[in-house]
């Protein structure tokens, strides 16, 4: 049995390697002429009509396992690979209108970035508390902020020398001023002394590490950002559900599952809700 499975996997891998990525996705000859194919780690870079948004297809994609005699799947005409993470998949037709597609992508990227920050912010206090690196009165994410109403206030990362917050009004006012200013800069595409910025990828002074200097690296980072951002949005949704069902944070839930996976799992507690 193992020998047969190994032969099958080798056969599939050989067939996938024998086809170019453009053949796999059904890209026409004119589209292939827009750029040279390049191998990049675990991904195949495909030529794309978009000038600076090449598409990436995972080597583990089901498209690579299609038999060579099968008709090549053709993405919708309006999915040109202009945007990072565009794999030609839109069964609901939500991206058929270019302006709507652009607006949806902008919203997706912004929410993805917030989710990336949010997931890190949710797990960091719990990790620091469990490892003994820092001490919090309430480490779980949906209770940590309430400490600002306590007599001693709230210490950022449990350290009074960093940020010692005692007034929710001051925090709210600061966030409104700073966030509204940042959002106005983003929407206008310009900041004091800087003009002509892209609303999603401004670069310039907002790229102090010069990550966008190399076009190929920049294109890959955009894809990584949207992929990880989509996972982060699912993670945040999972954190919300866990908090409602178990009344615990993600790290504590994970530790409980590792301790006894057959008792502490989603199926066992799906109908047990703990009020916050």
């Amino acid at each position: 049995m193992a020998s047969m499975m190994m032969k099958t996997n080798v056969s599939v891998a050989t067939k996938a390697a024998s086809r170019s990525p453009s053949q796999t996705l059904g890209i026409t000859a004119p589209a292939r002429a827009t750029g040279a194919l390049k191998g990049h780690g675990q991904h195949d870079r495909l030529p794309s009509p978009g000038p600076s948004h090449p598409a990436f297809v995972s080597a583990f994609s089901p498209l690579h396992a299609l038999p060579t005699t099968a008709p090549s799947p053709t993405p919708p005409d309006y999915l040109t690979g202009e945007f990072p993470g565009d794999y030609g998949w839109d069964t609901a037709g939500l991206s058929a209108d270019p302006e709507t597609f652009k607006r949806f992508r902008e919203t997706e990227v912004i929410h993805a970035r917030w989710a990336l920050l949010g997931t890190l912010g949710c797990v960091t206090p719990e990790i620091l508390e469990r490892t003994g690196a820092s001490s919090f009165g309430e480490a779980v994410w949906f209770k940590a902020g309430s400490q600002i109403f306590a007599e001693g206030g709230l210490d950022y990362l449990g350290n009074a020398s960093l940020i010692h917050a005692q007034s929710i009004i001051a925090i709210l006012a600061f966030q409104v001023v700073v966030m509204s200013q940042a959002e106005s800069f983003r929407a206008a595409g310009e900041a004091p002394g800087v003009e002509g910025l892209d609303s999603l990828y401004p670069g310039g002074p907002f790229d102090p590490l010069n990550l966008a200097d190399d076009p190929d690296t920049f294109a890959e980072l955009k894809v990584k950002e949207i992929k990880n951002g989509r996972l982060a949005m699912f993670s945040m949704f999972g954190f919300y559900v866990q908090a409602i069902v178990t009344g615990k944070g993600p790290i504590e839930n994970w530790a409980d599952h590792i301790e006894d996976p057959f008792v502490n799992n989603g199926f066992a507690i799906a109908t047990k809700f703990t009020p916050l």
Side-chain angles (χ1 to χ4, degrees), residues 19-23 27 32 35-40 44-47:
R19 298 193 309 275
S20 69
S22 55
Q23 288 174 327
I27 296 179
R32 288 198 298 272
L37 291 176
K38 298 179 182 179
H40 194 93
D44 295 320
R45 179 168 297 161
L46 303 180

Side-chain angles (χ1 to χ4, degrees), residues 185-226:
F185 290 156
R186 186 197 68 80
E190 59 183 29
V194 184
E195 297 180 355
L197 299 177
D198 187 275
S199 60
L200 282 181
Y201 308 101
F206 298 98
D207 182 24
L209 299 179
N210 298 320
L211 298 176
D213 284 357
D214 179 61
D216 290 340
T217 301
F218 189 29
E220 183 181 7
L221 289 175
K222 289 179 182 179
V223 176
K224 289 182 177 180
E225 178 187 45
I226 195 63

Side-chain angles (χ1 to χ4, degrees), residues 47-109:
S48 167
S52 59
H53 300 280
F56 289 79
V57 175
S58 170
F60 300 100
S61 169
L63 294 176
H64 284 283
L66 289 174
T68 54
T69 56
S72 298
T74 303
D77 294 338
Y78 54 84
L79 295 180
T80 62
E82 177 187 359
F83 294 100
D86 175 7
Y87 294 94
W89 183 270
D90 183 23
T91 53
L94 298 177
S95 307
D97 178 65
E99 290 302 318
T100 302
F101 188 16
K102 182 179 179 181
R103 187 171 67 253
F104 282 169
R105 171 45 61 96
E106 182 174 317
T107 302
E108 181 184 30
V109 170

Side-chain angles (χ1 to χ4, degrees), residues 99-172:
E99 290 302 318
T100 302
F101 188 16
K102 182 179 179 181
R103 187 171 67 253
F104 282 169
R105 171 45 61 96
E106 182 174 317
T107 302
E108 181 184 30
V109 170
I110 292 175
H111 280 79
R113 290 169 179 170
W114 278 115
L116 287 165
L117 290 172
T119 51
L120 180 63
C122 287
V123 300
T124 297
E126 276 196 88
I127 293 175
L128 294 177
E129 182 78 28
R130 293 181 71 89
T131 58
S134 186
S135 178
F136 297 85
E138 285 285 0
V140 65
W141 66 271
F142 54 84
K143 295 181 180 179
S146 64
Q147 295 177 92
I148 196 172
F149 299 108
E151 182 178 352
L154 174 64
D155 296 328
Y156 185 70
L157 292 179
N159 189 337
S161 62
L162 293 177
I163 297 178
H164 182 68
Q166 292 181 297
S167 171
I168 187 63
I169 302 299
I171 294 294
L172 180 62

